[in-house]
Amino acid sequence: NGKVGNCVKLTTKSTGELGERLKMYIAAGNLFTGSFKIVIPEVVKATKFGVPFNHIPVSLKGYYKYKAGDQFTEGGKPVNGKRDICDIYAIMYETSESVPTLDGTNAFTSPNLISTARINNAKETNEWTYFKLPFITLPGKFIDKEKLRDGKYNIAIVFTSSLEGDHFNGAIGSTLLIDEAELIYRSEN
């Protein structure tokens, strides 16, 4: 049951014996705009974040509930005293022939990144918790109106049940519920 009607449920799972052999011990539950094409062993590059976007993003808002799994693991080994946490974010970036998409290795480090909206106070909560994340333009960056009209920007919205899931760290059973997510943007004419 969601805040209104149904919601999305994302849960971190064990990857089993194959995951152990590949040193990819967990798979974080995740939902993102973009595509996924697995290429072993470069699984983190399988996420192709983003879809074409020709507006100026203002904020990402919605509701979440979060419960961390019982035992955080790093490299498949238990880490006592560490709790898992979710992540909710959106990024806008410029595309090019050499950088058609961003992935799990460069979503926050690519020089093509223009702006980000990211939760910085996620917490465990049994109640529907409202979030409104403003897009912050990175220093020295701006949205070029001509490139915007020409479809040279992508936007990605990402929800994950384990913040460090891209490094295969997290807690089996961590569960993130998301509902009423909305991207607020303005048009440039």
Side-chain angles (χ1 to χ4, degrees):
N1 292 325
K3 172 88 172 143
V4 177
N6 295 324
C7 67
V8 173
K9 179 181 180 181
L10 307 168
T11 303
T12 301
K13 302 280 190 177
S14 168
T15 55
E17 189 178 309
L18 177 61
E20 283 187 39
R21 279 191 262 141
L22 296 173
K23 299 189 184 324
M24 300 173 191
Y25 304 97
I26 59 113
N30 64 78
L31 176 67
F32 63 92
T33 55
S35 62
F36 183 84
K37 183 174 181 179
I38 194 154
V39 179
I40 294 178
E42 295 183 324
V43 175
V44 178
K45 291 186 176 183
T47 54
K48 303 298 181 193
F49 290 133
V51 293
F53 195 69
N54 60 356
H55 304 288
I56 297 176
V58 175
S59 62
L60 175 66
K61 66 180 187 172
Y63 292 87
Y64 79 98
K65 286 185 182 182
Y66 185 71
K67 174 71 176 136
D70 293 332
Q71 179 63 64
F72 189 89
T73 62
E74 205 169 281
K77 307 281 187 234
V79 178
N80 292 327
K82 186 169 182 176
R83 298 288 292 168
D84 205 357
I85 195 64
C86 63
D87 202 4
I88 299 169
Y89 66 89
I91 56 174
M92 184 172 186
Y93 63 92
E94 184 178 341
T95 62
S96 65
E97 255 185 61
S98 62
V99 182
T101 60
L102 298 183
D103 59 45
T105 66
N106 62 2
F108 288 104
T109 60
S110 172
N112 290 51
L113 197 59
I114 301 295
S115 63
T116 64
R118 192 173 195 181
I119 197 164
N120 62 9
N121 58 348
K123 61 183 179 181
E124 287 190 74
T125 175
N126 292 320
E127 302 296 322
W128 284 106
T129 302
Y130 179 73
F131 64 88
K132 184 174 183 182
L133 313 174
F135 273 82
I136 298 169
T137 303
L138 298 175
K141 298 290 184 165
F142 66 96
I143 295 172
D144 181 298
K145 290 179 184 178
E146 187 175 316
K147 289 179 181 179
L148 193 65
R149 281 191 304 273
D150 292 344
K152 300 291 185 184
Y153 293 101
N154 276 4
I155 195 162
I157 300 170
V158 181
F159 305 102
T160 183
S161 56
S162 292
L163 174 69
E164 297 180 34
D166 57 338
H167 298 289
F168 309 103
N169 301 329
I172 293 167
S174 290
T175 301
L176 173 63
L177 303 177
I178 294 287
D179 202 8
E180 299 300 300
E182 186 176 355
L183 176 65
I184 308 301
Y185 62 86
R186 68 178 197 267
S187 295
E188 283 295 311
N189 295 328

